[in-house]
Amino acid sequence: MAEIVLVHGSWADGSVWLEVIEALHRQGHRARAVHLPMTSFADDIAEVRREIAALGGPVVLAAHSYGGAVISGAAKDNPQVNALAYFAAYVPDEGETVPSLNAHFPDAPGGAAMVFHEDGWSSLDPDHFHDALAADVPPERAAALAAVQRRARADCFVAPAGPGAWRDLPTAYAVSTEDRILHPDLQRWLAERAGADCVELAASHYSLLSQPEAVAAVIDKVAVRGEQR
């Protein structure tokens, strides 16, 4: 059994992991989802570190999208963390940002769904949510998800990352091959650079919602590697 902390991406909350959590519990693991404040990159890292500390023992961190940058920072020099799993997620190296990583590849077609406001906050256009983020999720569910999306400070994305813990830990990556938000080739490049055990899922950006069993299987496998360190 492993303790697993799950970290969502921008504009979401921990509830996007619900079906993955159910699958992990069936495997015998204990899983908790963090709710990031999304007020700053540093605040988000601090929230994950608080969750890790509350558990007290070894922890596997798994993240989606922007949450990948968060767990890369939260795990660095943290002896409790023994493995990392990324799902259509950013895996930055020191000094990199979300925009600087995106610049390595052509813009993904779903980018128009992101709205950046003059007050420094960002959100998603609910009318574009299904097509851009969750095309393989039933339309009714995608509409409900779009209705509960949260805002995120745009500064979260441009804060430079520190050294990545993925250099020192067993790491897994699941590429979403049908992703319209984070370019699949960027995902493959990040996974290769991190030396991750990589699988490809024929999924939208939200593989957590469309393929929760496959996502849980990736976490389960890397958790075993973490226990063997």
Side-chain angles (χ1 to χ4, degrees), residues 108-129:
M114 304 177 194
V115 182
F116 293 90
H117 306 278
E118 292 183 0
D119 62 0
W121 290 87
S122 66
S123 62
L124 291 172
D125 183 340
D127 291 336
H128 291 282
F129 182 92

Side-chain angles (χ1 to χ4, degrees), residues 59-222:
V59 172
V60 177
L61 296 182
H64 176 239
S65 197
Y66 160 75
V70 176
I71 68 167
S72 295
K76 185 62 179 174
D77 298 325
N78 190 328
Q80 281 185 255
V81 181
N82 62 13
L84 302 169
Y86 296 87
F87 299 89
Y90 293 93
V91 189
D93 204 351
E94 187 169 10
E96 293 178 336
T97 66
V98 168
S100 74
L101 287 172
N102 285 336
H104 287 285
F105 290 89
D107 291 340
M114 304 177 194
V115 182
F116 293 90
H117 306 278
E118 292 183 0
D119 62 0
W121 290 87
S122 66
S123 62
L124 291 172
D125 183 340
D127 291 336
H128 291 282
F129 182 92
H130 186 213
D131 179 66
L133 282 90
D136 52 354
V137 173
E140 298 82 2
R141 189 174 187 205
L145 290 165
V148 299
Q149 293 298 299
R150 301 161 58 214
R151 294 179 183 269
R153 290 293 296 179
D155 289 347
C156 294
F157 313 132
V158 297
W166 44 269
R167 293 188 181 279
D168 308 313
L169 294 168
T171 300
Y173 198 109
V175 174
S176 285
T177 64
E178 309 306 309
D179 202 322
R180 295 173 60 83
I181 287 290
L182 203 169
H183 199 292
D185 285 342
L186 173 56
Q187 296 179 45
R188 295 181 180 105
W189 182 79
L190 290 167
E192 182 177 3
R193 183 177 70 170
D197 286 344
C198 185
V199 301
E200 298 206 356
L201 304 178
S204 69
H205 190 59
Y206 268 109
S207 58
L208 324 178
L209 302 172
S210 63
Q211 298 194 38
E213 295 286 347
V215 168
V218 171
I219 298 172
D220 177 65
K221 184 176 180 180
V222 80

Side-chain angles (χ1 to χ4, degrees), residues 14-47:
S15 65
V16 296
W17 291 99
L18 280 174
E19 291 183 50
V20 176
I21 290 171
E22 292 172 356
L24 290 170
H25 286 176
R26 287 192 293 271
Q27 293 169 348
H29 301 299
R30 293 178 60 187
R32 292 180 59 85
V34 173
H35 297 282
L36 300 178
M38 292 188 291
T39 47
S40 75
F41 185 46
D43 288 348
D44 292 341
I45 289 174
E47 182 63 22

